[in-house]
Amino acid sequence: MTRVQKPASRLPHGLVRFRGAVTAVVAGVILSGCGVVNNMIYKTTGDVMQGFSRNHTVPYLLESQDLAMGCAMSEATAPLLMSFGRVTSEPDQLAVMLYLSAGGCAEELAREHELASLGALRAGDAEEAEDAMIRQKRALSLAARRYHRGWKHHNAFYGKPESGECPGFDNDLGEFIYMAGLMSGLQALNAEIQSTSSIGVPKNIGSTVARATSCLENDKWWGAPMALRATVWSMIPGALPDGEDPFQRLDIADEQGKEAGVRISHVFHAIAAQNKGDHDRLRSVIRSHAEAIDETPANEEWTFVDAMATQMIVAISDRMWMENTGHRTPTGKLGTFWDDEKETVETMDLDDLL
């Protein structure tokens, strides 16, 4: 006899709804849990990356003299490292170094375009000269934006310098990055002016930077804080305090930089001399730098800073050579100039030996 299978008893309607609600809640927890886990992983990774970069990558780079590699690293890794600010604390201190270096990359490109423009002018190619000048200004505009961004991160981490309060420094690297941020601010203004564009760099940034250098120990930092302050004094009308001589201060800073093996003050001195149109002093600074790097090796802990100073001195020398000869500073001839008197070579009269 065939059995008729009874239909399975159905769950009460309320229980079905309850089971559906539980399923939805469980699914939601699982999915949100994935998001929470991911955020935890991202945050941990971000914290590790920031800490490693600050404690190891930056000090390692500062001991290197490969400026091109440092430039490439900053441009390539800045978006990655800065993106961790979306999941953890903003890496403001690290950003100061990243954008200072990346700004230097753009400024170096601008210098190359300037040399191309000067070369084209000497060759009588006006169109090529103008095109190179346009490329120069575009690169300077990019440099200004990068430097200005570094300045903003500097203010976010250390506080606004115009407040008049000096920050507390955890270590020497933190103090150095503070000084690097001041340089970034000044470079932002300089690049903006040269680019003939407007990106919103505060026009009082020079005087702000000059005051903020008083938060740094001048002797400890190779005379650079005073050199930076004296350069601002020489460039901004009315900024010079009574009884001060900016170039006397720069001379003293140069000696401190030479002894320390970190000659960044030479760059500030050269900029101040250029601004005053003092060509004799400018040549003297370039000669002095060339002699110093031959006589005293760079400080191993700050090799990158000293190499950066030399690169900028070479750039100033290259511009002078290009304007007057059509080519850059000859290899191995930094500190010499096209119109230097040739050394008298002693010759022997062979007739007396015959």
Side-chain angles (χ1 to χ4, degrees), residues 22 73 169 278 336:
V22 169
M73 186 203 74
F169 301 113
D278 191 339
T336 66

Side-chain angles (χ1 to χ4, degrees), residues 247 251 254 258 266-292 313-314 316-325 329 333-342:
F247 288 102
D251 286 335
D254 286 353
K258 286 181 190 178
H266 281 143
V267 177
F268 301 134
H269 199 162
I271 291 171
Q274 270 187 313
N275 186 63
K276 287 293 183 184
D278 191 339
H279 301 295
D280 290 338
R281 178 176 286 272
L282 179 58
R283 288 191 181 204
S284 177
V285 172
I286 295 173
R287 291 188 201 276
S288 181
H289 185 85
E291 292 169 2
I313 290 292
V314 169
I316 294 170
S317 177
D318 281 348
R319 188 184 193 284
M320 296 167 68
W321 274 89
M322 183 65 78
E323 283 182 322
N324 289 277
T325 68
T329 310
K333 296 293 185 180
L334 180 65
T336 66
F337 299 94
W338 56 94
D339 55 356
D340 287 344
E341 291 185 10
K342 305 297 181 184

Side-chain angles (χ1 to χ4, degrees), residues 67-86:
L67 299 179
M69 188 171 289
C71 175
M73 186 203 74
S74 297
E75 288 190 314
T77 62
L80 170 65
L81 293 173
M82 294 307 299
S83 68
F84 284 114
R86 296 163 64 97

Side-chain angles (χ1 to χ4, degrees), residues 57-75 101-102 104-105 108 298-311:
T57 306
V58 172
Y60 176 83
L61 182 63
L62 289 171
E63 294 176 2
S64 164
Q65 61 177 358
D66 194 331
L67 299 179
M69 188 171 289
C71 175
M73 186 203 74
S74 297
E75 288 190 314
S101 181
C105 301
E108 178 65 16
N299 185 312
E300 292 182 0
E301 191 176 357
W302 306 101
T303 301
F304 193 87
V305 181
D306 193 62
M308 183 174 65
T310 297
Q311 182 188 54

